[in-house]
Every structure is written in C-alpha cells, then in structure tokens.
C-alpha cells in the first residue's frame, strides 16, 4: 500500500472520530483544562492556502484565551517546521490571538523533524507529541469507542501486545451501543493496528470473541421473545459466553500484568469472580 493511501486511511479515521479524540487529547495528554471552546473554520487563505487538521479557540480555566492547532502526522516530514511557521503567521494575522501548535506523531519511529528555529530576527517552535509514548490506558478506560480505538497507538508499558490487543477488542465490544457501531470501531482498529505491526494480534482477538459477539447479538434481538425450548437454548449459549470470558481472564491472570480491579472492570465481572479464578489457578 502506498504511503499516500495509508495516510488517507488514517486521516479518515481521525476525521470520523474527531470530536471525541480531540477533546481527549487536549485534556488528558496536553493537560489543557477547558472552560469553553469553539471550533473555527479550518481554511486559511491569502495568497497561500493552508488547512489545519484541527483548529479550536479555547478559554482555559485560568481565563486565558488562545488558538489551539493540532496536526496529526504519520510521516517524519523534514519540511514540517516551515509548514507550521506558515500556519502561525496566517493564524496570528486572521485572529489576533496567541497560538499553541502541536504535532501529534503517529508512527512508532522516533521523530527527527525539526521543532525549533533560532535565527537572527526569528525564534519559533512548536510542540511535538509522540503518540506511542502516551499510556494506552488513558484511552482504554474511556466509555467512548471513538476514543478507545486509539489505545492501540499508545504505550503498552509492561502489558504484552497480545494482552493489550485483547483488552482493546473487549473494551470496544463493551462500549459499542449496537452492532453497526462495533463493526465500525473494529474495522478502524484493524487499520490503526497496522501502524504498530499489531494486526495479527488484533485479528486473533477479534476472532476469539466473534462467537461471543454473535451470541450476544442473538440475545439482544431475542430478549423478551423467548418461549419454552428457546429459553433453554439461550441459557446454554450464555454458559458458553461465560466460559469464554472465564478462560480469557485466566489467561490474563497467568500473565500477571493486570490487577483484580482492572480485570473486573474490563470484563464486566465482580472482583470476587476474578479472585475465585485466581484461587483456582494457584491450587
């Protein structure tokens, strides 16, 4: 796949999930506490035309008002410093407000792009944030699937890629309100996982819960319409779902990475349930 085509895929996902992911990044990662904000037109046109990925007018809780520009960058672009310099000139001229500029770098590679210019009569810099240094738990813990999907780009810490992929898939299943939304998020996850070379893990985890997902959907559609033998059939299916969940939790307990509280939260079970499994594992 060409770099341009890959970039278009990632751009599409960010645009689809923009509202959630932008606010999550601003508050959780950039540590800007928003009191109010306003989305501004992205087109900046004089003799030169530029279109920021995200442009917001923000008033923080300290009462400061400024423009926030976010650029999501997949390629370590050598000319990025000059592009950001062009942006800030256009933004200052149009809005007459201070500007904070952030480049969110999505690749796992260490970025080498220049972020500062110090020349005679010119001093300029922008902030560079590498997504893979952000804890994936910031996004995994969200109640919004649009945010959870970006956990795959974060820092897994001591969690193995296989475990992280499984938790992200499980969380997307929990946070999706319907099958259409869940399928959209799982497809987005497949695309983003390719950036981290995690596609095999993600595919395995999606496959491992595919039966659980089908049974869950069947339950949702048939709930309240069951009769006699159908009720018995459903109970058998639910037992299978619980067994699938039990086996997955046991695997994580063997890894020893996640706490009882985390496992209970991610798999929607009680802490007592997890502790009982832990005791059985140690026997």
């Amino acid at each position: 796949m060409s770099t341009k085509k890959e970039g278009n895929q990632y751009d599409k996902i960010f645009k689809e999930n923009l509202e959630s992911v932008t606010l999550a990044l601003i508050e959780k990662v950039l540590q800007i506490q928003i009191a109010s904000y306003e989305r501004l037109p992205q087109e900046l046109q004089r003799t030169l035309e530029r279109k920021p990925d995200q442009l917001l007018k923000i008033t923080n809780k300290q009462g400061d008002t400024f423009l926030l520009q976010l650029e999501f960058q997949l390629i370590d672009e050598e000319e990025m410093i000059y592009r950001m310099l062009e942006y800030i000139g256009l933004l200052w001229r149009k809005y007459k407000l201070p500007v904070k500029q952030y480049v969110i770098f999505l690749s796992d590679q260490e970025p080498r792009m220049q972020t500062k210019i110090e020349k005679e009569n010119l001093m300029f810099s922008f902030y560079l944030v590498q997504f893979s240094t952000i804890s994936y738990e910031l996004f995994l813990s969200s109640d919004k699937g649009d945010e959870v999907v970006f956990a795959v780009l974060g820092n897994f810490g001591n969690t193995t890629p296989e475990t992280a992929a499984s938790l992200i898939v499980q969380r997307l299943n929990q946070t999706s309100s319907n099958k259409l939304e869940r399928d959209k998020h799982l497809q987005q996850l497949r695309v983003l996982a390719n950036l981290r070379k995690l596609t095999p893990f993600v595919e395995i985890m999606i496959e491992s819960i595919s039966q659980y997902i089908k049974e869950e959907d069947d339950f949702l559609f048939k709930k309240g319409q069951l009769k006699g033998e159908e009720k018995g059939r459903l109970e058998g299916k639910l037992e299978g779902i619980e067994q699938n969940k039990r086996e997955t939790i046991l695997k994580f307990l063997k890894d020893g990475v996640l706490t009882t509280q985390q496992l209970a939260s991610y798999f929607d079970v009680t802490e007592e349930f997890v502790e009982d499994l832990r005791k059985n594992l140690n026997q």
Side-chain angles (χ1 to χ4, degrees):
M1 184 183 293
S2 70
T3 302
K4 183 175 181 180
K5 188 173 181 181
E6 278 188 339
N8 288 340
Q9 277 189 306
Y10 305 129
D11 284 347
K12 182 175 184 292
I13 293 173
F14 270 93
K15 287 174 183 174
E16 287 175 346
N17 300 30
L18 218 45
E19 185 76 28
S20 290
V21 74
T22 298
L23 296 181
L25 280 170
I26 292 171
E27 295 196 329
K28 295 178 181 179
V29 179
L30 308 186
Q31 299 295 306
I32 296 173
Q33 301 303 310
I34 302 173
S36 64
Y37 76 94
E38 173 189 354
R39 291 190 181 275
L40 299 175
Q42 291 168 271
E43 288 78 7
L44 297 170
Q45 189 167 2
R46 290 289 188 272
T47 54
L48 176 72
E49 182 174 347
R50 283 282 180 251
K51 185 175 181 180
D53 288 342
Q54 277 291 280
L55 182 63
L56 299 93
K57 178 181 175 182
I58 289 179
T59 299
N60 63 21
K61 291 185 177 179
Q62 290 73 44
D64 303 316
T65 299
F66 56 90
L67 301 184
L68 179 67
Q69 179 196 354
L70 299 180
E71 297 296 318
F72 298 101
Q73 191 70 16
L74 177 62
I75 299 173
D76 195 4
E77 189 178 327
E78 187 176 346
E79 298 284 306
M80 196 70 193
I81 185 73
Y82 304 114
R83 185 143 63 93
M84 298 301 282
L85 181 58
E86 290 169 351
Y87 276 130
I88 200 168
L90 293 171
L91 290 168
W92 267 104
R93 181 175 181 180
K94 182 172 182 177
Y95 293 103
K96 309 297 190 297
L97 284 172
V99 183
K100 294 182 184 291
Q101 295 176 297
Y102 288 84
V103 171
I104 313 297
F105 190 61
L106 303 178
S107 174
D108 249 357
Q109 299 176 351
E110 189 73 25
R112 297 183 178 180
M113 67 178 70
Q114 184 181 355
T115 62
K116 183 184 297 186
I117 295 176
E118 292 184 358
K119 301 287 186 181
E120 185 176 359
N121 299 324
L122 175 62
M123 294 186 67
F124 167 73
S125 64
F126 64 86
Y127 299 101
L128 178 62
V129 178
Q130 187 170 8
F131 209 107
S132 61
T133 65
I134 303 168
S135 172
Y136 85 117
E137 291 185 344
L138 280 175
F139 297 92
L140 185 68
S141 61
S142 173
D143 291 327
K144 300 177 182 177
D146 283 349
E147 291 181 21
V148 174
V149 72
F150 289 99
V152 75
L153 299 180
N155 186 341
F156 300 148
N158 294 325
T159 305
T160 65
E162 182 180 9
T163 299
S166 181
L167 290 172
I168 294 167
V169 171
Q170 292 280 357
R171 189 62 181 154
L172 285 175
N173 186 45
Q174 292 172 353
T175 56
S176 299
S177 59
N178 55 61
K179 184 177 184 300
L180 184 64
E181 184 179 279
R182 179 173 55 214
D183 289 348
K184 182 193 84 168
H185 288 144
L186 290 177
Q187 184 55 37
Q188 290 176 338
L189 181 63
R190 286 184 168 103
V191 175
L192 293 178
N194 189 51
L195 275 176
R196 302 292 302 277
K197 306 297 187 290
L198 293 177
T199 302
F201 293 123
V202 167
E203 291 298 340
I204 289 170
M205 296 311 158
I206 290 177
E207 179 63 27
S208 73
I209 69 163
S210 62
Q211 183 177 0
Y212 165 65
I213 289 176
K214 289 175 185 175
E215 304 300 357
E216 184 188 58
D217 289 340
D218 185 62
F219 170 71
L220 289 172
F221 282 109
K222 295 181 181 296
K223 185 179 180 182
Q225 303 175 19
L226 301 175
K227 299 178 182 178
E229 66 278 4
E230 289 179 323
K231 183 176 180 180
R233 179 173 61 84
L234 178 61
E235 288 174 350
K237 289 182 177 182
L238 292 177
E239 287 177 7
I241 292 172
E242 286 303 313
Q243 182 61 29
N244 180 286
K245 187 181 291 188
R246 187 179 295 109
E247 290 174 357
T248 306
I249 294 174
L250 281 169
K251 181 180 181 304
F252 291 139
L253 287 171
K254 289 178 183 177
D255 290 343
V257 175
L258 300 174
T259 66
T260 296
Q261 187 177 16
Q262 287 173 319
L263 287 169
S265 173
Y266 294 150
F267 290 95
D268 195 23
V269 296
T270 64
E271 292 184 20
E272 289 76 15
F273 180 85
V274 177
E275 282 303 313
D276 285 343
L277 290 179
R278 192 189 299 278
K279 290 175 184 176
N280 292 335
L281 186 65
N282 294 332
Q283 286 179 354

